[in-house]
Amino acid sequence: MTDHPMPMPEKPVLGAALMLEGLQQHRDWILARQRDLEIQDFFRAEVLDGDWQPLAAQARRALDGHSGRLGLHGPFWGFKIDTHDAAVRAVVTRRLLQGLEVCEALRATQMVVHSPFTTWDHANLDAFPGARAQLQERVHQTLGPVVKRAEAIGCELVIENIEDKDPRDRIGLAASFGSEAVQVSLDTGHAHYAHCSTGAPPVDFHIHLAGDALRHVHLQDTDGHADRHWAPGDGSILWPSVFSAVAALTVKPRLILELRDHRHLPKAVAHLTGLGLAD
């Protein structure tokens, strides 16, 4: 009897987070594999409050021929989704609904939202009776209309770790909505910073704990001291452990290279493909 070699598992295909300038520069690379793409031109308040339709039209032209999955980085500057102030909460809700308007215009099926959890929360939420439940309730008040709108237009909200120390906080918050429209995002650089600087688990633990709720990953490297957004290979993240954890998932998240300088995208891709981790 002749042994038949086991087929090699398919490597995940890398995507990228880009502004329109970067999209135009890397368009051929994106279209060649119909890569997942995240547009990052629409998170600023001045853009959302202005006439963003011409910018959206420009994005649609740049995306002509793209059939991969498309996402948007939602607004985040100047607010937290667990704000105590009801008046501020109304502004946050409006901002996120504006983000979903852009998603609908671009036919984007995912929008990144920032986590409310801080390192202070990790140490103090359980020191005050009811504080953890109250935080979750404030987030539900903020996101309630946003989740309904996301469900209506077929868009996932993915909650990205920022200062999070315990990934289970964010995973539990996403699950508390009981909606397919609220899932989990991971930023590898943020997680590695938290691991090195605050004692959080290493990056691969975040992936294993989230399981199939993990629908989106920002791939970026760092030295653990700050939020570098370096190309993979320039920092100290153990990339084989990250991709091994991703490979164990049943639902495959979007793997989005999010670099501070989009000109380093070819270097990032070359490093991960050179390790045999991705295409």
Short mmCIF file of all heavy atoms in Angstrom, two decimals, residues 12-17 34-39 66-73 103 106-112 153-158 180 183-188 207 211-220 242-243 246 249-258:
data_model
loop_
_atom_site.label_atom_id
_atom_site.label_comp_id
_atom_site.label_asym_id
_atom_site.label_seq_id
_atom_site.Cartn_x
_atom_site.Cartn_y
_atom_site.Cartn_z
N PRO A 12 -3.38 31.27 5.26
CA PRO A 12 -4.29 32.42 5.22
C PRO A 12 -3.77 33.51 4.30
O PRO A 12 -2.56 33.68 4.15
CB PRO A 12 -4.34 32.89 6.68
CG PRO A 12 -3.07 32.39 7.28
CD PRO A 12 -2.75 31.10 6.58
N VAL A 13 -4.69 34.22 3.69
CA VAL A 13 -4.34 35.31 2.77
C VAL A 13 -4.38 36.62 3.53
O VAL A 13 -5.37 36.96 4.18
CB VAL A 13 -5.30 35.34 1.56
CG1 VAL A 13 -5.00 36.53 0.66
CG2 VAL A 13 -5.20 34.03 0.78
N LEU A 14 -3.30 37.36 3.47
CA LEU A 14 -3.19 38.62 4.19
C LEU A 14 -4.01 39.72 3.52
O LEU A 14 -4.10 39.78 2.29
CB LEU A 14 -1.73 39.06 4.24
CG LEU A 14 -0.76 38.11 4.95
CD1 LEU A 14 0.68 38.53 4.68
CD2 LEU A 14 -1.04 38.09 6.45
N GLY A 15 -4.58 40.58 4.34
CA GLY A 15 -5.23 41.79 3.86
C GLY A 15 -4.52 43.00 4.44
O GLY A 15 -3.46 42.89 5.08
N ALA A 16 -5.10 44.18 4.26
CA ALA A 16 -4.44 45.39 4.73
C ALA A 16 -5.46 46.46 5.10
O ALA A 16 -6.56 46.51 4.56
CB ALA A 16 -3.50 45.94 3.65
N ALA A 17 -5.03 47.31 6.05
CA ALA A 17 -5.78 48.51 6.42
C ALA A 17 -5.07 49.69 5.78
O ALA A 17 -3.89 49.91 6.02
CB ALA A 17 -5.81 48.67 7.94
N GLN A 34 -7.73 39.25 -4.37
CA GLN A 34 -8.99 39.73 -3.79
C GLN A 34 -8.90 39.72 -2.26
O GLN A 34 -9.69 39.10 -1.55
CB GLN A 34 -10.17 38.89 -4.29
CG GLN A 34 -10.41 39.00 -5.79
CD GLN A 34 -10.75 40.42 -6.24
OE1 GLN A 34 -11.13 41.28 -5.44
NE2 GLN A 34 -10.62 40.68 -7.53
N ARG A 35 -7.90 40.42 -1.78
CA ARG A 35 -7.58 40.41 -0.35
C ARG A 35 -8.60 41.22 0.45
O ARG A 35 -9.20 42.16 -0.04
CB ARG A 35 -6.18 40.99 -0.14
CG ARG A 35 -5.08 40.17 -0.81
CD ARG A 35 -3.72 40.83 -0.70
NE ARG A 35 -2.73 40.10 -1.48
CZ ARG A 35 -2.02 39.06 -1.04
NH1 ARG A 35 -2.20 38.65 0.21
NH2 ARG A 35 -1.15 38.45 -1.82
N ASP A 36 -8.74 40.83 1.72
CA ASP A 36 -9.55 41.61 2.64
C ASP A 36 -8.93 43.00 2.78
O ASP A 36 -7.71 43.15 2.82
CB ASP A 36 -9.62 40.94 4.01
CG ASP A 36 -10.40 39.63 3.98
OD1 ASP A 36 -11.25 39.47 3.10
OD2 ASP A 36 -10.14 38.77 4.84
N LEU A 37 -9.80 43.98 2.90
CA LEU A 37 -9.35 45.36 2.93
C LEU A 37 -10.12 46.13 3.99
O LEU A 37 -11.33 45.92 4.17
CB LEU A 37 -9.56 46.00 1.55
CG LEU A 37 -9.11 47.44 1.35
CD1 LEU A 37 -7.60 47.57 1.51
CD2 LEU A 37 -9.54 47.92 -0.03
N GLU A 38 -9.43 47.02 4.69
CA GLU A 38 -10.06 47.91 5.66
C GLU A 38 -9.72 49.35 5.28
O GLU A 38 -8.56 49.72 5.19
CB GLU A 38 -9.56 47.60 7.07
CG GLU A 38 -10.16 48.49 8.15
CD GLU A 38 -9.54 48.18 9.50
OE1 GLU A 38 -9.40 47.00 9.86
OE2 GLU A 38 -9.16 49.15 10.19
N ILE A 39 -10.74 50.14 5.03
CA ILE A 39 -10.57 51.55 4.66
C ILE A 39 -10.50 52.39 5.94
O ILE A 39 -11.34 52.24 6.83
CB ILE A 39 -11.72 52.02 3.76
CG1 ILE A 39 -11.80 51.18 2.49
CG2 ILE A 39 -11.55 53.50 3.41
CD1 ILE A 39 -10.62 51.32 1.56
N HIS A 66 -12.70 44.94 -7.02
CA HIS A 66 -12.41 44.25 -5.76
C HIS A 66 -13.63 43.47 -5.30
O HIS A 66 -14.71 44.03 -5.13
CB HIS A 66 -12.01 45.26 -4.68
CG HIS A 66 -11.69 44.63 -3.35
ND1 HIS A 66 -12.51 44.74 -2.25
CD2 HIS A 66 -10.64 43.87 -2.96
CE1 HIS A 66 -11.99 44.09 -1.24
NE2 HIS A 66 -10.84 43.55 -1.63
N SER A 67 -13.46 42.17 -5.08
CA SER A 67 -14.56 41.34 -4.60
C SER A 67 -14.24 40.69 -3.26
O SER A 67 -14.97 39.84 -2.78
CB SER A 67 -14.90 40.25 -5.63
OG SER A 67 -13.77 39.43 -5.87
N GLY A 68 -13.12 41.09 -2.64
CA GLY A 68 -12.79 40.60 -1.31
C GLY A 68 -13.67 41.25 -0.26
O GLY A 68 -14.49 42.12 -0.55
N ARG A 69 -13.48 40.83 0.98
CA ARG A 69 -14.27 41.40 2.07
C ARG A 69 -13.76 42.81 2.39
O ARG A 69 -12.56 43.05 2.45
CB ARG A 69 -14.18 40.50 3.30
CG ARG A 69 -14.81 39.14 3.08
CD ARG A 69 -14.71 38.24 4.31
NE ARG A 69 -13.32 37.88 4.62
CZ ARG A 69 -12.98 37.01 5.58
NH1 ARG A 69 -13.93 36.44 6.32
NH2 ARG A 69 -11.71 36.72 5.80
N LEU A 70 -14.70 43.70 2.61
CA LEU A 70 -14.37 45.10 2.84
C LEU A 70 -14.85 45.53 4.22
O LEU A 70 -15.97 45.22 4.63
CB LEU A 70 -15.03 45.98 1.78
CG LEU A 70 -14.76 47.48 1.86
CD1 LEU A 70 -13.29 47.78 1.63
CD2 LEU A 70 -15.62 48.24 0.86
N GLY A 71 -13.98 46.23 4.94
CA GLY A 71 -14.34 46.76 6.24
C GLY A 71 -13.96 48.22 6.36
O GLY A 71 -13.34 48.80 5.46
N LEU A 72 -14.32 48.80 7.50
CA LEU A 72 -14.07 50.22 7.76
C LEU A 72 -13.59 50.35 9.20
O LEU A 72 -14.09 49.65 10.08
CB LEU A 72 -15.37 51.00 7.58
CG LEU A 72 -15.29 52.52 7.60
CD1 LEU A 72 -14.86 53.04 6.23
CD2 LEU A 72 -16.66 53.11 7.96
N HIS A 73 -12.62 51.23 9.43
CA HIS A 73 -12.30 51.56 10.82
C HIS A 73 -13.28 52.62 11.26
O HIS A 73 -13.32 53.72 10.70
CB HIS A 73 -10.86 52.04 10.97
CG HIS A 73 -10.37 51.92 12.38
ND1 HIS A 73 -11.03 52.51 13.44
CD2 HIS A 73 -9.32 51.25 12.92
CE1 HIS A 73 -10.40 52.22 14.56
NE2 HIS A 73 -9.36 51.45 14.28
N CYS A 103 -20.28 52.67 5.86
CA CYS A 103 -20.24 51.24 5.56
C CYS A 103 -21.30 50.88 4.52
O CYS A 103 -21.03 50.13 3.56
CB CYS A 103 -20.47 50.41 6.83
SG CYS A 103 -19.07 50.37 7.96
N LEU A 106 -20.36 52.10 1.07
CA LEU A 106 -19.24 51.37 0.47
C LEU A 106 -19.51 49.87 0.38
O LEU A 106 -18.69 49.12 -0.13
CB LEU A 106 -17.96 51.60 1.27
CG LEU A 106 -17.40 53.02 1.29
CD1 LEU A 106 -16.15 53.08 2.16
CD2 LEU A 106 -17.09 53.50 -0.12
N ARG A 107 -20.64 49.44 0.96
CA ARG A 107 -20.97 48.01 1.06
C ARG A 107 -19.93 47.27 1.90
O ARG A 107 -19.58 46.12 1.61
CB ARG A 107 -21.13 47.37 -0.32
CG ARG A 107 -22.27 47.97 -1.14
CD ARG A 107 -22.42 47.31 -2.48
NE ARG A 107 -23.49 47.93 -3.25
CZ ARG A 107 -23.78 47.63 -4.52
NH1 ARG A 107 -23.07 46.71 -5.15
NH2 ARG A 107 -24.78 48.24 -5.14
N ALA A 108 -19.46 47.91 2.93
CA ALA A 108 -18.54 47.30 3.87
C ALA A 108 -19.33 46.43 4.84
O ALA A 108 -20.42 46.80 5.28
CB ALA A 108 -17.75 48.36 4.62
N THR A 109 -18.76 45.30 5.21
CA THR A 109 -19.48 44.33 6.04
C THR A 109 -18.87 44.19 7.43
O THR A 109 -19.21 43.26 8.16
CB THR A 109 -19.50 42.95 5.34
OG1 THR A 109 -18.14 42.57 5.04
CG2 THR A 109 -20.32 43.00 4.07
N GLN A 110 -17.99 45.10 7.79
CA GLN A 110 -17.36 45.06 9.11
C GLN A 110 -16.92 46.46 9.49
O GLN A 110 -16.44 47.22 8.63
CB GLN A 110 -16.16 44.11 9.07
CG GLN A 110 -15.69 43.59 10.41
CD GLN A 110 -14.61 42.53 10.25
OE1 GLN A 110 -13.51 42.85 9.81
NE2 GLN A 110 -14.91 41.29 10.59
N MET A 111 -17.09 46.81 10.78
CA MET A 111 -16.61 48.10 11.27
C MET A 111 -15.93 47.90 12.61
O MET A 111 -16.49 47.28 13.52
CB MET A 111 -17.74 49.12 11.40
CG MET A 111 -17.24 50.52 11.75
SD MET A 111 -18.52 51.82 11.68
CE MET A 111 -19.29 51.63 13.30
N VAL A 112 -14.73 48.44 12.74
CA VAL A 112 -13.93 48.32 13.97
C VAL A 112 -14.38 49.37 14.97
O VAL A 112 -14.49 50.55 14.64
CB VAL A 112 -12.44 48.48 13.66
CG1 VAL A 112 -11.61 48.41 14.95
CG2 VAL A 112 -11.97 47.42 12.66
N ILE A 153 -28.12 46.27 8.10
CA ILE A 153 -27.36 46.43 6.85
C ILE A 153 -26.35 45.30 6.64
O ILE A 153 -25.56 45.33 5.69
CB ILE A 153 -26.64 47.80 6.79
CG1 ILE A 153 -25.55 47.90 7.86
CG2 ILE A 153 -27.64 48.94 6.92
CD1 ILE A 153 -24.68 49.16 7.73
N GLY A 154 -26.35 44.30 7.53
CA GLY A 154 -25.45 43.16 7.36
C GLY A 154 -24.00 43.49 7.63
O GLY A 154 -23.11 43.04 6.91
N CYS A 155 -23.75 44.26 8.69
CA CYS A 155 -22.39 44.69 9.02
C CYS A 155 -22.04 44.22 10.43
O CYS A 155 -22.83 44.38 11.36
CB CYS A 155 -22.28 46.21 8.93
SG CYS A 155 -20.61 46.86 9.16
N GLU A 156 -20.86 43.64 10.59
CA GLU A 156 -20.36 43.24 11.91
C GLU A 156 -19.66 44.41 12.58
O GLU A 156 -18.87 45.11 11.94
CB GLU A 156 -19.32 42.13 11.79
CG GLU A 156 -19.83 40.76 11.55
CD GLU A 156 -18.68 39.75 11.49
OE1 GLU A 156 -17.52 40.15 11.23
OE2 GLU A 156 -18.95 38.55 11.68
N LEU A 157 -19.92 44.58 13.88
CA LEU A 157 -19.12 45.46 14.71
C LEU A 157 -18.11 44.58 15.43
O LEU A 157 -18.48 43.61 16.09
CB LEU A 157 -19.99 46.19 15.73
CG LEU A 157 -21.16 47.00 15.19
CD1 LEU A 157 -22.05 47.48 16.34
CD2 LEU A 157 -20.67 48.19 14.37
N VAL A 158 -16.82 44.88 15.27
CA VAL A 158 -15.78 44.08 15.93
C VAL A 158 -15.07 44.96 16.94
O VAL A 158 -14.58 46.04 16.60
CB VAL A 158 -14.81 43.45 14.91
CG1 VAL A 158 -15.48 42.31 14.18
CG2 VAL A 158 -14.28 44.47 13.90
N GLU A 180 -25.15 38.32 16.19
CA GLU A 180 -24.08 38.00 15.24
C GLU A 180 -23.39 39.27 14.75
O GLU A 180 -22.29 39.21 14.20
CB GLU A 180 -24.65 37.23 14.04
CG GLU A 180 -24.82 35.75 14.30
CD GLU A 180 -23.49 35.04 14.54
OE1 GLU A 180 -22.55 35.25 13.75
OE2 GLU A 180 -23.39 34.30 15.53
N GLN A 183 -18.93 41.17 17.37
CA GLN A 183 -17.91 40.15 17.49
C GLN A 183 -16.62 40.78 18.02
O GLN A 183 -16.63 41.92 18.49
CB GLN A 183 -17.68 39.48 16.12
CG GLN A 183 -18.94 38.84 15.52
CD GLN A 183 -19.44 37.63 16.28
OE1 GLN A 183 -18.70 37.02 17.05
NE2 GLN A 183 -20.70 37.25 16.06
N VAL A 184 -15.54 40.03 17.95
CA VAL A 184 -14.29 40.43 18.60
C VAL A 184 -13.21 40.71 17.56
O VAL A 184 -13.09 40.01 16.56
CB VAL A 184 -13.81 39.31 19.56
CG1 VAL A 184 -12.46 39.66 20.17
CG2 VAL A 184 -14.85 39.09 20.66
N SER A 185 -12.42 41.76 17.82
CA SER A 185 -11.23 42.08 17.05
C SER A 185 -10.02 41.97 17.96
O SER A 185 -10.13 42.12 19.18
CB SER A 185 -11.33 43.50 16.48
OG SER A 185 -10.08 43.94 15.98
N LEU A 186 -8.87 41.70 17.36
CA LEU A 186 -7.60 41.68 18.10
C LEU A 186 -6.58 42.52 17.36
O LEU A 186 -6.40 42.36 16.15
CB LEU A 186 -7.08 40.24 18.21
CG LEU A 186 -5.64 40.10 18.72
CD1 LEU A 186 -5.53 40.53 20.17
CD2 LEU A 186 -5.14 38.67 18.54
N ASP A 187 -5.93 43.41 18.09
CA ASP A 187 -4.77 44.11 17.56
C ASP A 187 -3.54 43.47 18.21
O ASP A 187 -3.37 43.52 19.43
CB ASP A 187 -4.84 45.61 17.88
CG ASP A 187 -3.69 46.39 17.25
OD1 ASP A 187 -2.53 46.13 17.62
OD2 ASP A 187 -3.96 47.25 16.39
N THR A 188 -2.68 42.84 17.39
CA THR A 188 -1.55 42.09 17.94
C THR A 188 -0.57 43.00 18.66
O THR A 188 -0.01 42.63 19.69
CB THR A 188 -0.83 41.33 16.82
OG1 THR A 188 -0.36 42.25 15.82
CG2 THR A 188 -1.74 40.29 16.18
N ILE A 207 -6.14 34.95 21.06
CA ILE A 207 -6.80 34.26 19.94
C ILE A 207 -7.50 33.01 20.44
O ILE A 207 -8.67 32.76 20.12
CB ILE A 207 -5.76 33.93 18.85
CG1 ILE A 207 -5.16 35.22 18.29
CG2 ILE A 207 -6.40 33.11 17.73
CD1 ILE A 207 -3.93 35.01 17.43
N GLY A 211 -11.64 32.42 20.38
CA GLY A 211 -12.20 31.35 19.55
C GLY A 211 -12.87 31.92 18.31
O GLY A 211 -12.40 32.89 17.70
N ASP A 212 -14.00 31.35 17.97
CA ASP A 212 -14.66 31.73 16.72
C ASP A 212 -15.40 33.06 16.81
O ASP A 212 -16.00 33.50 15.83
CB ASP A 212 -15.59 30.61 16.24
CG ASP A 212 -14.79 29.42 15.70
OD1 ASP A 212 -13.63 29.62 15.31
OD2 ASP A 212 -15.33 28.31 15.69
N ALA A 213 -15.38 33.70 17.99
CA ALA A 213 -15.88 35.09 18.07
C ALA A 213 -14.89 36.07 17.46
O ALA A 213 -15.23 37.21 17.19
CB ALA A 213 -16.17 35.47 19.51
N LEU A 214 -13.64 35.62 17.24
CA LEU A 214 -12.62 36.49 16.67
C LEU A 214 -12.83 36.57 15.16
O LEU A 214 -12.61 35.61 14.43
CB LEU A 214 -11.22 35.95 16.98
CG LEU A 214 -10.06 36.80 16.47
CD1 LEU A 214 -10.01 38.14 17.19
CD2 LEU A 214 -8.73 36.06 16.63
N ARG A 215 -13.22 37.73 14.68
CA ARG A 215 -13.54 37.90 13.26
C ARG A 215 -12.59 38.85 12.54
O ARG A 215 -12.70 39.03 11.34
CB ARG A 215 -14.98 38.41 13.11
CG ARG A 215 -16.03 37.54 13.78
CD ARG A 215 -16.08 36.14 13.17
NE ARG A 215 -17.00 35.27 13.89
CZ ARG A 215 -18.30 35.19 13.65
NH1 ARG A 215 -18.84 35.95 12.71
NH2 ARG A 215 -19.07 34.38 14.36
N HIS A 216 -11.66 39.46 13.26
CA HIS A 216 -10.84 40.51 12.67
C HIS A 216 -9.55 40.62 13.48
O HIS A 216 -9.58 40.60 14.72
CB HIS A 216 -11.61 41.83 12.72
CG HIS A 216 -10.83 43.04 12.32
ND1 HIS A 216 -10.06 43.76 13.21
CD2 HIS A 216 -10.70 43.69 11.12
CE1 HIS A 216 -9.51 44.79 12.59
NE2 HIS A 216 -9.88 44.76 11.33
N VAL A 217 -8.41 40.71 12.79
CA VAL A 217 -7.11 40.87 13.46
C VAL A 217 -6.34 41.98 12.76
O VAL A 217 -6.15 41.94 11.55
CB VAL A 217 -6.29 39.56 13.42
CG1 VAL A 217 -4.96 39.76 14.14
CG2 VAL A 217 -7.07 38.40 14.05
N HIS A 218 -5.89 42.96 13.55
CA HIS A 218 -4.90 43.92 13.07
C HIS A 218 -3.53 43.32 13.32
O HIS A 218 -3.15 43.10 14.48
CB HIS A 218 -5.02 45.25 13.82
CG HIS A 218 -6.05 46.17 13.27
ND1 HIS A 218 -6.70 47.12 14.04
CD2 HIS A 218 -6.55 46.32 12.01
CE1 HIS A 218 -7.56 47.80 13.28
NE2 HIS A 218 -7.48 47.33 12.06
N LEU A 219 -2.78 43.08 12.26
CA LEU A 219 -1.43 42.54 12.36
C LEU A 219 -0.43 43.69 12.35
O LEU A 219 -0.33 44.42 11.36
CB LEU A 219 -1.15 41.59 11.18
CG LEU A 219 -2.03 40.36 11.06
CD1 LEU A 219 -1.80 39.68 9.72
CD2 LEU A 219 -1.76 39.38 12.20
N GLN A 220 0.27 43.86 13.46
CA GLN A 220 1.32 44.88 13.55
C GLN A 220 2.29 44.44 14.63
O GLN A 220 1.93 43.72 15.56
CB GLN A 220 0.74 46.26 13.85
CG GLN A 220 -0.09 46.32 15.12
CD GLN A 220 0.40 47.35 16.12
OE1 GLN A 220 1.59 47.68 16.16
NE2 GLN A 220 -0.50 47.87 16.95
N VAL A 242 1.19 33.10 16.78
CA VAL A 242 -0.03 33.82 16.39
C VAL A 242 -0.75 33.08 15.27
O VAL A 242 -1.96 32.82 15.34
CB VAL A 242 0.33 35.26 15.95
CG1 VAL A 242 -0.89 35.96 15.34
CG2 VAL A 242 0.87 36.06 17.12
N PHE A 243 -0.02 32.69 14.24
CA PHE A 243 -0.66 32.04 13.10
C PHE A 243 -1.06 30.61 13.41
O PHE A 243 -2.04 30.10 12.83
CB PHE A 243 0.25 32.14 11.87
CG PHE A 243 0.17 33.47 11.19
CD1 PHE A 243 0.92 34.54 11.64
CD2 PHE A 243 -0.70 33.67 10.12
CE1 PHE A 243 0.82 35.79 11.03
CE2 PHE A 243 -0.81 34.91 9.51
CZ PHE A 243 -0.05 35.97 9.96
N VAL A 246 -4.42 31.09 15.03
CA VAL A 246 -5.42 31.41 14.01
C VAL A 246 -5.81 30.15 13.24
O VAL A 246 -6.99 29.92 12.94
CB VAL A 246 -4.90 32.49 13.06
CG1 VAL A 246 -5.80 32.63 11.83
CG2 VAL A 246 -4.78 33.83 13.78
N LEU A 249 -8.70 27.98 14.52
CA LEU A 249 -10.07 28.50 14.53
C LEU A 249 -10.89 27.88 13.41
O LEU A 249 -10.39 27.59 12.33
CB LEU A 249 -10.06 30.02 14.36
CG LEU A 249 -9.28 30.82 15.42
CD1 LEU A 249 -9.29 32.30 15.06
CD2 LEU A 249 -9.86 30.60 16.81
N THR A 250 -12.17 27.70 13.67
CA THR A 250 -13.09 27.21 12.64
C THR A 250 -13.50 28.34 11.71
O THR A 250 -13.52 28.20 10.49
CB THR A 250 -14.34 26.59 13.28
OG1 THR A 250 -13.94 25.54 14.16
CG2 THR A 250 -15.28 26.03 12.22
N VAL A 251 -13.84 29.48 12.30
CA VAL A 251 -14.18 30.68 11.52
C VAL A 251 -12.90 31.48 11.34
O VAL A 251 -12.23 31.81 12.32
CB VAL A 251 -15.25 31.52 12.25
CG1 VAL A 251 -15.57 32.78 11.46
CG2 VAL A 251 -16.52 30.69 12.46
N LYS A 252 -12.55 31.77 10.11
CA LYS A 252 -11.29 32.43 9.83
C LYS A 252 -11.46 33.95 9.85
O LYS A 252 -12.20 34.51 9.04
CB LYS A 252 -10.73 31.98 8.48
CG LYS A 252 -10.53 30.47 8.39
CD LYS A 252 -9.66 29.93 9.54
CE LYS A 252 -9.46 28.42 9.45
NZ LYS A 252 -8.73 27.89 10.63
N PRO A 253 -10.76 34.64 10.76
CA PRO A 253 -10.90 36.10 10.83
C PRO A 253 -10.19 36.78 9.67
O PRO A 253 -9.30 36.20 9.02
CB PRO A 253 -10.21 36.44 12.15
CG PRO A 253 -9.20 35.35 12.34
CD PRO A 253 -9.83 34.11 11.76
N ARG A 254 -10.55 38.01 9.41
CA ARG A 254 -9.82 38.83 8.45
C ARG A 254 -8.48 39.21 9.07
O ARG A 254 -8.43 39.70 10.20
CB ARG A 254 -10.63 40.09 8.10
CG ARG A 254 -12.03 39.78 7.64
CD ARG A 254 -12.81 41.03 7.25
NE ARG A 254 -14.24 40.73 7.16
CZ ARG A 254 -15.15 41.51 6.60
NH1 ARG A 254 -14.78 42.68 6.08
NH2 ARG A 254 -16.42 41.17 6.56
N LEU A 255 -7.42 38.98 8.33
CA LEU A 255 -6.06 39.26 8.81
C LEU A 255 -5.55 40.51 8.12
O LEU A 255 -5.16 40.48 6.95
CB LEU A 255 -5.15 38.06 8.53
CG LEU A 255 -5.59 36.75 9.18
CD1 LEU A 255 -4.64 35.62 8.79
CD2 LEU A 255 -5.68 36.87 10.70
N ILE A 256 -5.57 41.61 8.85
CA ILE A 256 -5.39 42.94 8.26
C ILE A 256 -4.08 43.55 8.75
O ILE A 256 -3.94 43.90 9.93
CB ILE A 256 -6.58 43.85 8.67
CG1 ILE A 256 -7.92 43.25 8.26
CG2 ILE A 256 -6.39 45.24 8.09
CD1 ILE A 256 -8.15 43.16 6.76
N LEU A 257 -3.12 43.68 7.86
CA LEU A 257 -1.88 44.38 8.21
C LEU A 257 -2.18 45.86 8.41
O LEU A 257 -2.69 46.53 7.50
CB LEU A 257 -0.85 44.19 7.10
CG LEU A 257 -0.19 42.80 7.06
CD1 LEU A 257 0.39 42.53 5.68
CD2 LEU A 257 0.88 42.68 8.14
N GLU A 258 -1.90 46.36 9.61
CA GLU A 258 -2.17 47.77 9.93
C GLU A 258 -0.85 48.43 10.33
O GLU A 258 -0.43 48.36 11.49
CB GLU A 258 -3.20 47.89 11.06
CG GLU A 258 -3.65 49.34 11.26
CD GLU A 258 -4.53 49.53 12.47
OE1 GLU A 258 -4.26 48.90 13.52
OE2 GLU A 258 -5.48 50.32 12.39
#
